[in-house]
Amino acid sequence: MTGCITRTDVFQHRLMEEPPPASATRRTRERYEQLVREAKALCASCPLLTDCLYSAVAEHDVSGFVAGTTAAQRRSIRNLLDVEVQADDFDQLAGARGTRRPVSHEEVLRLRTQYPNDSLESLAMRLGCSLSTVKRHLRRARRGQSPAAKTPRPRPEVSAVLDAFDTVVEQHQPRRTGSTRVA
């Protein structure tokens, strides 16, 4: 079992979600530092560290302390690697759907073509979005402003993520003598 599973008291502690602000009490800041030290030690000995780090940097935007890094450190690693990761939509992953949801430009235009005599309110209901969303997409289509599809950036190599990890994490802690990369 991995440390994050066996020591949920450390990894799921409320302080691990976000570092305490500078205005926090000394005791709170010391407790946070203690939790981080414990979590780092557990991550450093984990056989899944490399996979966990890669996933947290290049595939999923997660919060809290993961793979020996804080959320701020992972953002720094992504910036260094020019990686963009969208936050996961947990409602969608769980199969829950609210009354409103994002729709693609093409989906709105396709439905408008398919049902040309329907009211815009009816289209919004069919799409499960707001009336203003339908209007916005139709205005863009009239102006010829189809949103450009972003070409996904290639994912970085694992070795690049590990190098960036070394760079970012080393900035935030004293230099270790004879240190080797944790992999």
Side-chain angles (χ1 to χ4, degrees), residues 1-7 42 45-48:
M1 288 247 220
T2 61
C4 56
I5 290 174
T6 60
R7 293 294 312 274
L42 291 165
S45 65
C46 181
L48 301 175

Side-chain angles (χ1 to χ4, degrees), residues 131-142:
L131 175 61
S132 62
T133 298
V134 171
K135 288 180 176 179
R136 184 178 66 247
H137 285 288
L138 294 176
R139 275 193 307 270
R140 285 182 186 162
R142 280 194 308 271

Side-chain angles (χ1 to χ4, degrees), residues 162-183:
L162 291 171
D163 290 342
F165 169 84
D166 287 344
T167 300
V168 168
V169 173
E170 288 294 322
Q171 286 178 356
H172 295 96
Q173 62 188 19
R175 193 101 176 130
R176 297 170 288 186
T177 56
S179 70
T180 58
R181 178 189 326 180
V182 178

